[in-house]
Amino acid sequence: MKLIISLVSLLLISSTISAESNCTHCWIQERTRSRRSIDFNDVFKLPAYRMPRSFKPTNYELEIKPFTINATFLGKVKIFGSWISEGSRIKLDVDRGLYITNISIKCLSPNSTEAFEKADIAEQEHNIKKAEFNIDLQQWFTTGRKCEININYTGNISISETYGFFMNSYLDTLAQAHTFLATHLRLNHAKQLFPCIDEPEYKATFLLSVVRPKNLQCRSNTPLIASTEIPDEPNFMRDNFEKTPEMSTYQLAFMISDFESMSPSRSVNPIEGRGPLEIKVWGRKEYLSTLSKVPNKIVTIINYLQNYFNISIGLSKLDLVAMPMYTASKASDSWGLMFFKESELSSPLVWNTAYELIYQWIGQRITPFRWTDAQVNKALNSFLASKTTVDIDPHEMEGKWPMTLLYSLYYEFGKTLPFSRVAGIRHEATSSKIELVFRMFNYTLGEEIFRQGVQKFVHEPAKNRSFYAHDIFTQLDKVRVKNNLTLPNDLTISSIAAPWITRDRVPVVTVIRDYETGNITFTQNVFLRETPPASNEKMSYLWDIPIIMVSQENISFAKLQPNYWLTKSDNSITMTDIASKENFVIVNPEEIGMFPVNYDPCNWYMLGEFLQGPMRETIPVLTRAKLLHDAWNMAYAGNICFEVALNMTLFLKNETSHVVWEPFFTMIDHVGRKIQESENVATNFEAYIFSLLEPLYKNQLGETPNPNEPSWKTHMRGLAKNFLCRAGYRPCVEEAKEQYKKWMKDDEPDEGNPVANEFICPVFRWGTMEEWEFGLQRVINFPQKTIERKQSERTYLLKTLAGCPVDKKKIERLLNVTILNENSNFTDSDIQLIYSTLTGSATGYFALFDFLVDHWNLMKQRFETKEHLWNGIINSATSSFSTQEGYDMVSQLYKDRQREADPAEAIIKKVMGDLEEELKWSKSNLPVIEGWLNNHLKQRPSSLMSSERQTTAMDSSSITPFAG
Ligand SMILES: *[C@@H]1O[C@H](CO)[C@@H](O)[C@H](O)[C@H]1NC(C)=O
Ligand SMILES: *[C@@H]1O[C@H](CO)[C@@H](O)[C@H](O)[C@H]1NC(C)=O
Ligand SMILES: *[C@@H]1O[C@H](CO)[C@@H](O)[C@H](O)[C@H]1NC(C)=O
Ligand SMILES: *[C@@H]1O[C@H](CO)[C@@H](O)[C@H](O)[C@H]1NC(C)=O
């Protein structure tokens, strides 16, 4: 009798709860963590084609008078400019919310500087849909003629958004409302405030005047020059601001509020012969004390940046505002006046503040010429923010930079079809790539030359203080040439950068050392983690790759510059080795280039041995992490034998750095999923990782958090504990069961859940059937209409009920209740959630498969009218297998059901094709992993729950479709 065994699945929660894609998950986490995501999706929504304009404004005189009572304003703008090509039509951008009440135009006579003449308007039209206003003049104008357009208009103040011209109010502790108004005109919201040419390249100067209630203050980009009384309006004042430098319309900003301000106790260093930049931090009165440390932090960062750029921000003052209820996805970085969310500005961290401040130079002092140039802007600022943070407070990055970015890229670009699951992260990934390219040049050119290039970029923008995306690369190259830094084959910084930025791939460099001849050969290929289907075209991309090497004899990571460039023109080079044959080499230390490295087995072996020795910390953490990670990626992709990768883990017994451990958890998860079907391999693998991790958890991290510990420690403890619990670490399972008891003893268990989420999965996994059943009853009896309990709680319970068990009986019970008994508490989407969750664990999909085989006719009938559910179940039950045994089961099912003319047939047939690919992986790797583990795992750690549970599960699966 052939047993259908139900197996332990590794790493359950992460493989089921975030079953989709770990990489996607990382991206999202990364974005919310550092709030890097700016309005990119908006940038890509802008129309690519822009209307040609004949008339270009050079100065705007703008008067705004808001009425908070009905959220409207009166506006008056005088646009002075000239014809840049001959014509008779003036085309302005005017939002649908602006209503033009009066318009008049006068122009200078040719060759005169004074004599203005009225120009007659033939026709005017407001195209609401395109937000354009066309003025056709009766006269034809030649290039160079100057005109002045006077427009009176009214507009609306937004009360629901935080862009355009908006207002909001906050409550103080006495529940008094305080109204404030502000603008956020990026990307193209200036046309909601005034008629203008709302495109970044049309720069002009601005003279702003704002009428505001007497008890409030107004701030804008430039300093206030005068506040004057208004005749007949005793409650209002008029504020006039200094003329701005030439700038784009989106850069204009003002704010009217009763916020109060603080100045730093230290001052910014004077630069460019100006006085020190005057800094003020604003917030509502009651929030000000929370911001007390911010002003001096800003001074520290500004001094660092002024010194780095060797230039000022270009204005004499800078206001930073903690704005209540500010909801924009990114802080508003307008020149001289920045708006942050309150919590964002008050944060003691450096990275985000530095990132926003860098925009005062790159993004405000100089600006992207078009919005498509903004992506390089973002990437450069992000790189510089990381560099600034590392220099000001190295602890803040916690060694995560650049790995969080980089390893996500390796996973995504190693897929057969990158971004096939979530297209939205592509723009984000491109920014990350560009950022890493800057980091690569910062190393390969050296920090000083890189800095000179950035300075040249900020000091000498192409035109009009605007830049194109490629300018930064051009300037870096000029500085490189000036410094006599040569590159092979006439390479330039731009030509090197382009393939790294434009492709959704990275190379892998294979390093083969010939120990007889003393030669070393480097070869580049496209890095793939998944075996591409045979039908795929072979990719022949090539890159220019800096080869930076460290040898064991000369182990120093202080100065890392390229020994060679492996260029596009020769995908392989051979040269004299830098190390003798008893010594290893490390290529691409510190992840300088965005590529993994593979070595010959002998070099891998020497590395593995060294890492277990007393000198191992002479290799810095980032490089230790890289070696481990590369070895695993190579083995996973089938480029080296898995034994090599496993040998590389032996040093983890002594490894205490979270930088090395953290990325490894993702690898454990990926490999765990591949091997979970083979019970012996899976349990031994889990026990082996457990034996490495247990001492770290108990001795280094400590079981209980210390209130002042760094955040990486808390995070790392969470990851470790999560793994240990899933593996069946007794103390953890006991603690979880203890906590769970509280709920089971509750008289009204459906009124709320007293157990923290972290305890639930271990109980459903290692606990009794009774404990699990109690959880099921909580889902069944979950209160329908209640505000106290959210539906997401129920969803979480259901997912853990399905995803956590290693005991097949639990899954059978769940399927019986939801599918066969048609319990009305479970909706179609619950069923969908259950079967998709089951694909994450071997217990789950084996149980689902058996259930399907046993109840085929009943289920088919039940889902007769719900084809998507039926198809989904078929797919989930069959598609996750990865071994021959699973394949045989699916093919038997196919044979049995082939003649039913059911749509399921096509699904199973396709699944079988995919499984054949999967089989190759397990056929070549499983025996190797199994053999290695048998040699290295002496016995199962005693603190681990025994695997009896699987025996129970095995016994319970007495009904099998292939019995006999
Ligand atoms: C809004 O209120 C102001 C001041 O009371 C008034 O002058 C203006 O006409 C009002 N606007 C609208 C559209 O009602
Ligand atoms: C204006 O100046 C240009 C060149 O300076 C000259 O050719 C043209 O005749 C002048 N036009 C008038 C109206 O004076
Ligand atoms: C435009 O508005 C200003 C006041 O803001 C007013 O003095 C002027 O008369 C208005 N012009 C027209 C033509 O309505
Ligand atoms: C570069 O080389 C030129 C010519 O050999 C020399 O004059 C110049 O000083 C060098 N520049 C640097 C920065 O070394």
Side-chain angles (χ1 to χ4, degrees):
M1 176 166 136
K2 196 170 168 196
L3 279 181
I4 305 298
I5 41 173
S6 140
L7 303 158
V8 178
S9 72
L10 288 173
L11 310 166
L12 209 107
I13 266 297
S14 78
S15 60
T16 54
I17 303 299
S18 66
E20 267 313 273
S21 149
N22 257 291
C23 190
T24 315
H25 179 69
C26 296
W27 282 114
I28 292 163
Q29 212 177 28
E30 173 66 14
R31 285 201 317 208
T32 47
R33 187 181 67 85
S34 58
R35 223 172 273 118
R36 290 179 179 203
S37 168
I38 67 163
D39 30 22
F40 264 128
N41 289 328
D42 295 337
V43 166
F44 291 97
K45 270 185 244 150
L46 293 181
Y49 176 74
R50 286 164 308 153
M51 296 307 287
R53 319 275 180 149
S54 304
F55 181 81
K56 178 186 183 295
T58 51
N59 182 50
Y60 292 88
E61 260 180 69
L62 180 61
E63 280 180 39
I64 302 288
K65 180 175 184 184
F67 303 105
T68 51
I69 189 152
N70 52 15
T72 63
F73 67 96
L74 273 180
K76 192 183 155 209
V77 66
K78 186 192 281 183
I79 307 175
F80 191 81
S82 61
W83 294 81
I84 49 173
S85 62
E86 58 175 7
S88 64
R89 171 175 276 200
I90 296 176
K91 194 183 274 293
L92 297 173
D93 298 314
V94 177
D95 190 72
R96 64 166 70 208
L98 296 191
Y99 177 69
I100 292 189
T101 50
N102 186 273
I103 183 162
S104 68
I105 300 185
K106 53 189 184 178
C107 298
L108 279 174
S109 328
N111 299 1
S112 159
T113 53
E114 273 149 45
F116 272 102
E117 280 169 14
K118 184 166 186 291
D120 290 321
I121 298 172
E123 214 173 322
Q124 66 189 55
E125 180 219 12
H126 191 177
N127 183 333
I128 299 282
K129 220 167 127 217
K130 289 189 175 163
E132 274 175 11
F133 197 90
N134 291 314
I135 308 162
D136 287 315
L137 296 161
Q138 284 183 355
Q139 207 184 330
W140 188 258
F141 288 87
T142 51
T143 310
R145 285 282 300 276
K146 293 181 166 47
C147 296
E148 185 187 293
I149 312 167
N150 276 283
I151 301 175
N152 285 13
Y153 63 98
T154 61
N156 298 317
I157 303 173
S158 170
I159 47 173
S160 54
E161 313 276 359
T162 44
Y163 57 81
F165 183 20
F166 62 92
M167 67 184 217
N168 210 332
S169 63
Y170 68 90
L171 295 182
D172 62 20
T173 38
L174 304 171
Q176 285 283 324
H178 300 244
T179 301
F180 59 91
L181 301 99
T183 61
H184 184 185
L185 306 186
R186 185 186 168 109
L187 294 160
N188 55 352
H189 297 298
K191 58 173 174 276
Q192 291 173 321
L193 182 67
F194 62 108
C196 58
I197 297 190
D198 202 5
E199 283 174 19
E201 69 216 60
Y202 287 87
K203 286 191 174 179
T205 51
F206 292 83
L207 262 174
L208 176 70
S209 127
V210 176
V211 174
R212 46 105 185 151
K214 224 170 202 167
N215 59 336
L216 304 182
Q217 290 196 60
C218 184
R219 306 292 293 181
S220 181
N221 307 79
T222 49
L224 179 68
I225 41 178
S227 290
T228 47
E229 303 267 347
I230 303 171
D232 307 328
E233 296 194 63
N235 297 325
F236 291 89
M237 297 287 282
R238 176 187 301 280
D239 285 343
N240 286 295
F241 294 89
E242 216 172 69
K243 192 177 201 170
T244 69
E246 271 202 334
M247 60 186 201
S248 306
T249 45
Y250 76 86
Q251 296 184 266
L252 187 74
F254 64 85
M255 168 186 83
I256 303 170
S257 72
D258 66 354
F259 299 156
E260 299 191 358
S261 74
M262 275 183 306
S263 299
S265 63
R266 295 185 288 121
S267 62
V268 171
N269 302 331
I271 189 166
E272 279 186 88
R274 311 170 169 263
L277 178 69
E278 188 196 318
I279 289 174
K280 282 203 161 93
V281 172
W282 300 78
R284 58 190 162 89
K285 190 175 181 182
E286 287 157 358
Y287 197 70
L288 223 51
S289 60
T290 318
L291 297 167
S292 63
K293 295 213 170 94
V294 176
N296 281 343
K297 179 179 90 172
I298 308 270
V299 170
T300 306
I301 300 175
I302 297 254
N303 276 336
Y304 177 93
L305 293 173
Q306 271 192 176
N307 186 41
Y308 190 86
F309 295 124
N310 193 25
I311 202 166
S312 73
I313 69 163
L315 293 175
S316 59
K317 67 100 183 148
L318 175 62
D319 290 308
L320 299 98
V321 183
M323 188 169 280
M325 267 91 66
Y326 192 65
T327 57
S329 63
K330 178 190 174 300
S332 158
D333 55 50
S334 301
W335 209 3
L337 178 58
M338 307 171 73
F339 305 144
F340 294 80
K341 285 181 189 145
E342 288 186 329
S343 57
E344 188 178 356
L345 190 58
S346 63
S347 154
L349 297 179
V350 172
W351 195 92
N352 192 63
T353 315
Y355 175 66
E356 296 299 342
L357 284 173
I358 291 166
Y359 273 95
Q360 291 297 306
W361 281 267
I362 307 172
Q364 298 292 337
R365 181 174 181 131
I366 61 169
T367 57
F369 197 76
R370 306 154 302 200
W371 283 118
T372 45
D373 299 312
Q375 193 164 32
V376 164
N377 191 162
K378 176 187 171 187
L380 180 59
N381 292 14
S382 183
F383 166 73
L384 293 172
S386 299
K387 187 176 160 27
T388 306
T389 309
V390 168
D391 289 346
I392 292 180
D393 180 11
H395 295 298
E396 186 176 318
M397 302 303 271
E398 293 174 351
K400 283 206 191 101
W401 185 67
M403 286 194 316
T404 324
L405 287 181
L406 188 62
Y407 290 176
S408 313
L409 291 179
Y410 286 168
Y411 292 138
E412 196 62 37
F413 295 159
K415 289 181 184 164
T416 310
L417 296 171
F419 305 116
S420 55
R421 286 219 180 100
V422 194
I425 61 173
R426 182 177 241 128
H427 300 314
E428 202 65 35
T430 305
S431 288
S432 306
K433 272 191 287 183
I434 305 174
E435 177 176 348
L436 291 168
V437 166
F438 286 127
R439 183 175 176 274
M440 174 170 88
F441 287 129
N442 191 49
Y443 272 106
T444 51
L445 297 174
E447 294 208 341
E448 188 44 40
I449 293 181
F450 187 85
R451 189 225 309 243
Q452 286 172 24
V454 173
Q455 284 184 359
K456 210 162 149 60
F457 171 67
V458 179
H459 292 217
E460 297 170 21
K463 181 180 137 198
N464 215 358
R465 285 189 293 100
S466 302
F467 60 86
Y468 290 105
H470 59 77
D471 289 348
I472 175 68
F473 301 105
T474 314
Q475 299 291 24
L476 284 170
D477 210 49
K478 283 189 185 155
V479 172
R480 173 189 68 83
V481 171
K482 201 169 131 245
N483 283 275
N484 298 340
L485 212 67
T486 54
L487 290 170
N489 297 4
D490 297 325
L491 290 179
T492 63
I493 300 293
S494 310
S495 71
I496 293 172
W500 291 102
I501 293 174
T502 52
R503 288 180 191 146
D504 290 338
R505 294 287 175 202
V506 292
V508 51
V509 170
T510 308
V511 180
I512 306 288
R513 304 175 62 201
D514 185 331
Y515 299 90
E516 297 284 307
T517 60
N519 282 341
I520 185 166
T521 303
F522 305 91
T523 313
Q524 59 166 310
N525 292 103
V526 174
F527 170 59
L528 291 174
R529 284 179 92 231
E530 298 169 356
T531 354
S535 59
N536 255 33
E537 258 178 72
K538 201 168 163 357
M539 273 179 295
S540 52
Y541 291 152
L542 291 167
W543 287 262
D544 298 307
I545 302 173
I547 300 294
I548 298 172
M549 265 197 288
V550 173
S551 77
Q552 188 173 354
E553 287 112 312
N554 192 359
I555 194 152
S556 157
F557 292 79
K559 192 159 180 286
L560 296 171
Q561 293 203 348
N563 305 57
Y564 315 105
W565 284 83
L566 182 56
T567 65
K568 286 194 275 289
S569 48
D570 36 20
N571 72 325
S572 177
I573 49 171
T574 300
M575 40 206 26
T576 311
D577 205 340
I578 59 162
S580 63
K581 62 180 174 189
E582 313 75 49
N583 290 305
F584 62 75
V585 298
I586 295 174
V587 172
N588 197 25
E590 303 296 88
E591 301 277 14
I592 290 170
M594 210 187 323
F595 60 94
V597 179
N598 196 3
Y599 303 95
D600 56 82
C602 198
N603 197 63
W604 274 124
Y605 176 80
M606 288 189 278
L607 282 165
E609 289 294 299
F610 184 83
L611 281 171
Q612 292 172 66
M615 298 285 286
R616 52 179 213 91
E617 292 197 344
T618 51
I619 300 180
V621 285
L622 201 54
T623 302
R624 299 208 293 275
K626 177 175 176 57
L627 291 171
L628 175 65
H629 204 255
D630 281 356
W632 277 69
N633 266 324
M634 289 306 126
Y636 190 92
N639 298 338
I640 52 171
C641 174
F642 232 100
E643 213 173 271
V644 176
L646 288 162
N647 280 333
M648 287 295 287
T649 59
L650 290 170
F651 81 92
L652 285 173
K653 211 174 301 227
N654 301 316
E655 182 59 69
T656 55
S657 169
H658 69 289
V659 179
V660 181
W661 265 104
E662 249 181 67
F664 188 57
F665 280 104
T666 315
M667 285 297 342
I668 301 176
D669 183 21
H670 289 176
V671 173
R673 257 186 262 179
K674 289 268 196 191
I675 61 175
Q676 60 173 335
E677 225 165 296
S678 167
E679 181 185 18
N680 183 35
V681 181
T683 38
N684 283 351
F685 180 69
E686 198 172 40
Y688 170 66
I689 301 293
F690 183 94
S691 70
L692 297 174
L693 199 53
E694 191 190 12
L696 179 78
Y697 177 70
K698 283 185 21 193
N699 309 333
Q700 299 294 326
L701 298 169
E703 288 168 46
T704 41
N706 171 338
N708 296 321
E709 69 185 14
S711 63
W712 66 259
K713 203 165 189 179
T714 317
H715 185 232
M716 183 67 198
R717 181 183 302 105
L719 288 176
K721 188 167 178 190
N722 196 22
F723 178 88
L724 296 175
C725 291
R726 273 177 315 202
Y729 181 50
R730 274 177 216 285
C732 165
V733 175
E734 276 152 23
E735 182 191 9
K737 288 173 79 137
E738 204 51 46
Q739 292 288 329
Y740 193 76
K741 254 189 215 148
K742 285 192 224 157
W743 199 8
M744 291 184 73
K745 283 187 184 148
D746 200 326
D747 292 337
E748 302 281 355
D750 293 315
E751 299 210 324
N753 173 3
V755 188
N757 277 353
E758 62 169 306
F759 297 120
I760 294 184
C761 192
V763 172
F764 289 169
R765 186 174 180 78
W766 296 105
T768 60
M769 190 70 191
E770 190 197 354
E771 286 162 328
W772 182 90
E773 181 68 31
F774 177 82
L776 179 64
Q777 291 306 320
R778 301 289 68 74
V779 172
I780 292 173
N781 298 320
F782 198 90
Q784 287 295 319
K785 291 194 183 74
T786 166
I787 40 166
E788 277 84 49
R789 304 199 61 193
K790 296 202 187 76
Q791 284 304 307
S792 61
E793 261 187 76
R794 179 180 179 277
T795 309
Y796 185 83
L797 271 179
L798 191 54
K799 269 190 182 175
T800 38
L801 281 167
C804 293
V806 285
D807 181 345
K808 199 178 160 197
K809 263 198 218 157
K810 293 174 182 166
I811 307 295
E812 280 168 357
R813 164 91 180 122
L814 185 65
L815 293 172
N816 263 316
V817 171
T818 54
I819 295 185
L820 289 192
N821 303 353
E822 303 194 35
N823 186 313
S824 61
N825 288 296
F826 294 92
T827 62
D828 285 356
S829 57
D830 288 338
I831 293 176
Q832 205 167 347
L833 178 76
I834 292 170
Y835 66 66
S836 62
T837 304
L838 291 178
T839 59
S841 80
T843 308
Y845 59 78
F846 268 94
L848 182 61
F849 182 86
D850 291 352
F851 193 82
L852 176 70
V853 170
D854 293 349
H855 306 284
W856 179 277
N857 289 330
L858 252 169
M859 285 172 76
K860 198 172 155 181
Q861 217 171 9
R862 155 112 210 251
F863 296 116
E864 205 164 17
T865 57
K866 293 174 179 171
E867 201 179 316
H868 68 286
L869 275 182
W870 177 235
N871 292 349
I873 289 176
I874 303 278
N875 195 54
S876 299
T878 54
S879 64
S880 297
F881 293 106
S882 61
T883 57
Q884 187 65 44
E885 185 193 2
Y887 179 84
D888 293 344
M889 284 160 52
V890 176
S891 80
Q892 182 63 43
L893 177 67
Y894 182 72
K895 268 190 221 138
D896 293 349
R897 301 295 167 189
Q898 209 172 5
R899 280 171 300 277
E900 286 183 21
D902 191 280
E905 183 194 327
I907 297 177
I908 303 177
K909 185 140 196 236
K910 167 156 191 324
V911 162
M912 282 166 60
D914 298 342
L915 291 187
E916 277 167 32
E917 285 298 319
E918 271 304 304
L919 287 188
K920 289 186 197 153
W921 196 98
S922 55
K923 275 200 179 122
S924 61
N925 293 307
L926 271 184
V928 178
I929 299 176
E930 182 166 28
W932 190 94
L933 288 169
N934 285 343
N935 286 337
H936 287 81
L937 188 74
K938 302 289 174 276
Q939 63 192 53
R940 200 174 159 77
S942 59
S943 50
L944 213 46
M945 307 274 288
S946 71
S947 32
E948 275 159 38
R949 271 165 216 288
Q950 291 142 306
T951 325
T952 326
M954 264 191 278
D955 294 346
S956 75
S957 61
S958 49
I959 318 159
T960 76
F962 306 114

